[in-house]
Amino acid sequence: MVQEYQSPVRVYKHPFELIMAAYVRRFPKCPLIPVFVDSEIVSENQSKDGSTLVTERRCVIDIDAPRLLKRIAGVDYLYFIQKNTLNRRDRTLRIEVHNETFSSRVVVRECCNYTVHPENEDWTCFEQTASMDIKSFFGFESTAEKIAMKQYASSIKKGKEIIEYYLRELEAEGVTFIPRWTPPVVSGTTRAIPVKGARNGLDSKDTELVVGSPDGQTEMYKLDADYIRRYLGDLTPLQESCLIRLRQWLQENNKGKIPKDQHVLRFLRARDFNLDKAREFMWQSLTWRKQHQVDFLLDTWERPQLLQDYYAGGWHHHDKDGRPLYVLRLGQMDTKGGTEAHVTSYVNVSVSCWTCLVDLEGLNMRHLWRPGVKALLRIIEVVEANYPETLGRLLILRAPRVFPVLWTLVSPLIDENTRKKFLVYAGNDYQGPGGLVDYIDKEILPDFLGGDCMCDIPEGGMVPKSLYRTAEELESEENRLLTDSIYKSASIFKGAPYEMLVEITEASSVITWDFDVSKGDVIFNIYHSKRAPQPPKKDTLGAHAITSLGAVNTQLIDRNWVLGKDYSMVEKALTCREGESVQGSHVTRWPGFYILQWRFHSTPACSASSLPRVDDVLASLQVSSHKCKIMYYTEVLASHDFRGSMTSLESSHSGFSQLSAATTSSSQSHASSTISR
């Protein structure tokens, strides 16, 4: 693979002639560049009038590489050929370099140009491009490439320092001005050749340099190294190169408005400065912006009445770092209607570096897999794809027990760099040390979070059913959910519980669940055993001809096991009524085997430790009223999955979150899960 490099424009606030006097002092060898051992002039040719000087040198480089690699390669030094073309009339120097050593295995090309600044003729610009293609190198191609790129990046950083060093040396010798070249006077003529003088009173703009074409049309914008450092931050030479090359590609291929440099840089950061990935990423975003007319959205988009009345989000002052603070009371929102309006609203707000505070109090099933999660995933998708690296920090407060389920659904879709910006607090943990006051000043803390600052953000509420989608749309989505989603369905018979085995290999793993009771009432339990349950043998069931009646739930808890000895209950039994949705999580204290059990709810309730006789099961199958149905989803999350963004997920006691409107608050009172930063 060919590695390429393009430098920004480096500006020396000195005339071209003085820069050339400093440059030639680098030869035949430069003590400031230890790897530059020596050089010799191979040839030198000058034009008749003295305006052009072409010098060819053979340079010796002592590459900083492991001794073993040098022995394998059979060389101690590398030889490069450098051709310099100095045009005194045009005040330019072009430097072309290629490798002589290993030229059949490695192809290195470098081109540097010193030119006069387009806006101030007393200043000098420097640009540099290079490429390297390692075709073969004794099986060490990757190692050689890394060494070469490291060495090259180091020499680039020293380039400006070296010129400035020799400029100071010249100044110490009293050389501060060198006259410009003028053609020799031809005998018998007295005509003077005019030389343009420098424009006075110009200061460095620290912005892009505009290079004009001969017909006066703007041809290309070039980035100044000082501008990058002042307005875009400290970038490595290779990062600067990626920025410039991506910007050049946009100028050549994008017919519309070129994004700002800060915006281009965000796409590079989001792809770890992988130029090919960033180019593809940005092109997709530009296409999306054109399709949706995003650049004109602020002028044409009107906030729907639905958002004005029921959308619980808005701007609220700034965080301690000066970023605009966006507050979203997600737990107070009804997301069944107006999902596209939510997305459009985010397109309007997610355009700069900001901090987002999400309050999850009241979060329940209506925010999860169904329309709410669809809207949330769409928002994340749009923001990640088109506004990368704009989120400074995401503060999630009052996370309920259902949060691990939500996090499981959305976290794989969030870029890892973005995920690291998430800080999650459960309950009232945000009020103590290391909490919200570390990021937001106390005097602007919203009143609904215990602060004194009145927050004008609407409280949200239930959207009228008249604004919901049609029954046909909802039915279609439910059918798709059953066939395409990660949810499974199960039947529970009277006397024949439905059980699911979860093997845990390390403590502190998190078992999450989400289920709907679509028919009947059930009792939900979780048990733990150190040994693996052994399901009944097939021949035992076959003797009673159960298979002819259809599938029967496999029971995992052996009839000979004793509760409290062979296995233990790790969650308090929960009664779940028909039509209710239940979500929750359990942080495992021990490795081993966990059994999630749903059993038919009747009076008296069936004992978990005493299994029914097969004859009883056969009888129950004939009675349709002795049947319950659930739709469920479970997942095991390793503890380290939370530590990248939330550090830890601890629980002193686990409970359940029964998320119907009537039971949300009571079920949350059971939760003591702690999600800390």
Side-chain angles (χ1 to χ4, degrees):
M1 180 179 178
V2 179
Q3 293 284 348
E4 297 182 342
Y5 171 79
Q6 169 68 61
S7 76
V9 178
R10 186 179 299 154
V11 178
Y12 298 99
K13 296 179 181 179
H14 300 278
F16 175 81
E17 290 71 23
L18 196 61
I19 294 296
M20 291 300 98
Y23 173 77
V24 297
R25 294 202 171 200
R26 298 175 56 170
F27 303 100
K29 56 185 177 181
C30 179
L32 299 178
I33 311 177
V35 298
F36 188 61
V37 178
D38 202 357
S39 66
E40 62 174 343
I41 295 178
V42 178
S43 65
E44 193 169 58
N45 298 294
Q46 184 168 272
S47 61
K48 290 183 179 180
D49 63 357
S51 63
T52 304
L53 176 65
V54 179
T55 305
E56 190 170 298
R57 293 184 177 88
R58 191 167 188 255
C59 304
V60 184
I61 305 296
D62 182 10
I63 194 71
D64 184 14
R67 185 174 297 275
L68 176 62
L69 188 60
K70 289 184 177 181
R71 290 182 61 183
I72 292 174
V75 298
D76 289 325
Y77 300 108
L78 302 180
Y79 293 88
F80 286 81
I81 301 300
Q82 181 193 74
K83 179 183 177 182
N84 289 3
T85 303
L86 173 64
N87 189 318
R88 297 186 178 98
R89 184 192 304 275
D90 296 336
R91 304 175 75 197
T92 63
L93 172 65
R94 181 175 178 83
I95 306 168
E96 299 171 281
V97 180
H98 69 272
N99 62 307
E100 185 180 66
T101 309
F102 301 126
S103 58
S104 62
R105 296 176 177 271
V106 181
V107 179
V108 177
R109 293 284 186 270
E110 182 180 25
C111 182
C112 304
N113 288 285
Y114 286 91
T115 59
V116 176
H117 193 288
E119 295 182 356
N120 190 326
E121 294 183 1
D122 272 347
W123 291 351
T124 306
C125 296
F126 172 81
E127 286 184 87
Q128 182 177 10
T129 61
S131 66
M132 178 179 64
D133 184 11
I134 300 181
K135 301 179 182 297
S136 65
F137 200 76
F138 313 101
F140 292 91
E141 290 79 12
S142 178
T143 301
E145 181 180 288
K146 290 178 181 178
I147 292 173
M149 294 306 295
K150 180 181 178 180
Q151 192 76 52
Y152 194 72
S154 177
S155 65
I156 291 170
K157 293 183 69 175
K158 290 182 179 179
K160 187 175 182 179
E161 299 174 6
I162 293 169
I163 291 294
E164 290 175 344
Y165 172 83
Y166 287 120
L167 285 171
R168 290 192 296 270
E169 193 176 81
L170 287 168
E171 185 178 2
E173 296 172 4
V175 180
T176 58
F177 174 78
I178 296 176
R180 300 182 189 181
W181 177 86
T182 56
V185 177
V186 180
S187 178
T189 64
T190 58
R191 184 174 65 88
I193 305 296
V195 178
K196 293 182 180 180
R199 285 188 276 175
N200 297 321
L202 284 177
D203 296 323
S204 174
K205 293 184 177 180
D206 286 333
T207 58
E208 303 98 329
L209 300 177
V210 184
V211 179
S213 59
D215 59 4
Q217 297 296 318
T218 298
E219 196 171 66
M220 187 71 70
Y221 286 86
K222 297 184 178 181
L223 295 182
D224 186 326
D226 291 335
Y227 161 78
I228 293 176
R229 186 183 67 255
R230 179 173 296 185
Y231 297 105
L232 303 180
D234 290 325
L235 304 178
T236 68
L238 297 182
Q239 289 173 343
E240 289 178 339
S241 171
C242 289
L243 173 62
I244 293 164
R245 291 171 61 199
L246 181 55
R247 204 173 186 282
Q248 288 177 347
W249 176 82
L250 287 169
Q251 291 169 335
E252 294 168 359
N253 294 277
N254 186 43
K255 296 180 180 179
K257 183 179 179 181
I258 300 296
K260 293 182 179 180
D261 301 322
Q262 293 88 341
H263 195 59
V264 176
L265 188 58
R266 289 191 187 112
F267 280 84
L268 284 166
R269 292 190 191 278
R271 292 296 179 264
D272 295 322
F273 285 89
N274 183 307
L275 184 61
D276 292 333
K277 291 182 179 179
R279 184 187 295 124
E280 180 182 0
F281 188 21
M282 187 157 215
W283 187 253
Q284 291 172 350
S285 176
L286 290 172
T287 302
W288 173 84
R289 295 182 72 89
K290 290 178 182 178
Q291 289 175 345
H292 296 276
Q293 296 290 303
V294 173
D295 293 330
F296 307 100
L297 197 59
L298 290 176
D299 298 328
T300 60
W301 185 73
E302 294 183 4
R303 189 178 180 89
Q305 191 63 40
L306 173 69
L307 292 186
Q308 296 182 29
D309 295 339
Y310 302 103
Y311 181 70
W315 296 105
H316 180 74
H317 298 282
H318 297 77
D319 68 3
K320 286 190 174 181
D321 294 322
R323 304 186 188 100
L325 177 63
Y326 192 81
V327 177
L328 179 63
R329 304 184 69 178
L330 185 60
Q332 305 298 316
M333 287 171 53
D334 180 1
T335 54
K336 289 184 179 179
T339 56
E340 288 304 317
H342 291 150
V343 174
T344 306
S345 177
Y346 270 86
V347 168
N348 278 277
V349 301
S350 305
V351 293
S352 61
C353 190
W354 57 309
T355 291
C356 186
L357 187 155
V358 181
D359 181 19
L360 297 185
E361 184 183 39
L363 184 73
N364 58 44
M365 185 60 193
R366 68 178 184 273
H367 304 91
L368 289 179
W369 182 252
R370 296 170 179 83
V373 158
K374 184 178 179 181
L376 182 59
L377 296 182
R378 178 62 178 152
I379 289 169
I380 292 173
E381 178 187 4
V382 169
V383 173
E384 286 289 329
N386 301 286
Y387 303 97
E389 294 298 308
T390 58
L391 180 64
R393 185 177 294 114
L394 180 63
L395 304 167
I396 298 178
L397 307 183
R398 301 197 279 197
R401 287 292 306 282
V402 70
F403 182 77
V405 180
L406 178 62
W407 181 253
T408 302
L409 293 172
V410 301
S411 61
L413 304 174
I414 303 173
D415 180 74
E416 178 62 25
N417 292 333
T418 302
R419 221 180 304 166
K420 293 176 182 178
K421 301 173 183 178
F422 282 47
L423 301 175
V424 183
Y425 302 89
N428 292 321
D429 292 343
Y430 68 91
Q431 296 179 345
L436 202 56
V437 292
D438 285 0
Y439 308 102
I440 301 174
D441 288 327
K442 226 173 180 181
E443 54 268 22
I444 66 169
L445 194 64
D447 52 331
F448 60 86
L449 294 176
D452 298 327
C453 185
M454 293 299 294
C455 189
D456 294 332
I457 295 172
E459 294 184 359
M462 298 298 292
V463 176
K465 292 185 178 180
S466 60
L467 298 178
Y468 285 7
R469 287 173 298 168
T470 65
E472 290 76 13
E473 292 175 324
L474 292 173
E475 182 179 358
S476 174
E477 183 158 342
E478 288 295 329
N479 291 335
R480 182 189 58 77
L481 179 65
L482 286 169
T483 56
D484 300 341
S485 80
I486 54 180
Y487 283 79
K488 298 178 181 179
S489 60
S491 297
I492 300 107
F493 302 99
K494 186 175 182 180
Y498 182 85
E499 295 176 343
M500 177 181 176
L501 182 65
V502 178
E503 183 177 0
I504 298 296
T505 57
E506 61 174 353
S508 298
S509 297
V510 184
I511 303 174
T512 67
W513 58 84
D514 174 15
F515 66 88
D516 284 358
V517 183
S518 57
K519 181 179 179 181
D521 300 340
V522 299
I523 297 176
F524 181 55
N525 287 91
I526 300 182
Y527 300 96
H528 170 262
S529 173
K530 294 181 180 179
R531 54 176 173 163
Q534 298 297 324
K537 296 181 179 179
K538 290 185 178 181
D539 56 356
T540 302
L541 295 175
H544 295 273
I546 291 183
T547 53
S548 64
L549 296 175
V552 175
N553 296 338
T554 300
Q555 297 180 17
L556 303 172
I557 300 177
D558 194 285
R559 69 177 65 211
N560 297 318
W561 281 10
V562 177
L563 184 63
K565 179 181 178 182
D566 300 295
Y567 69 111
S568 59
M569 184 186 297
V570 296
E571 289 283 2
K572 184 179 178 181
L574 179 70
T575 301
C576 309
R577 304 294 180 182
E578 182 175 320
E580 290 183 341
S581 298
V582 180
Q583 299 79 38
S585 61
H586 174 79
V587 182
T588 61
R589 295 181 60 186
W590 316 280
F593 301 89
Y594 288 79
I595 301 170
L596 279 62
Q597 182 194 79
W598 291 266
R599 56 191 171 91
F600 191 93
H601 176 54
S602 61
T603 305
C606 178
S607 172
S609 59
S610 58
L611 295 183
R613 294 181 298 108
V614 176
D615 292 338
D616 295 334
V617 176
L618 286 170
S620 68
L621 292 175
Q622 309 300 322
V623 184
S624 60
S625 61
H626 291 173
K627 177 182 177 182
C628 298
K629 292 188 69 175
I630 62 170
M631 185 174 69
Y632 72 95
Y633 163 73
T634 63
E635 183 163 349
V636 177
L637 310 175
S639 57
H640 62 76
D641 287 341
F642 284 93
R643 287 182 178 140
S645 58
M646 289 178 275
T647 303
S648 67
L649 175 64
E650 301 172 351
S651 178
S652 58
H653 134 107
S654 295
F656 297 86
S657 293
Q658 187 167 339
L659 300 176
S660 63
T663 59
T664 299
S665 59
S666 62
S667 63
Q668 287 181 356
S669 65
H670 290 291
S672 60
S673 172
T674 302
I675 307 175
S676 58
R677 182 175 62 85

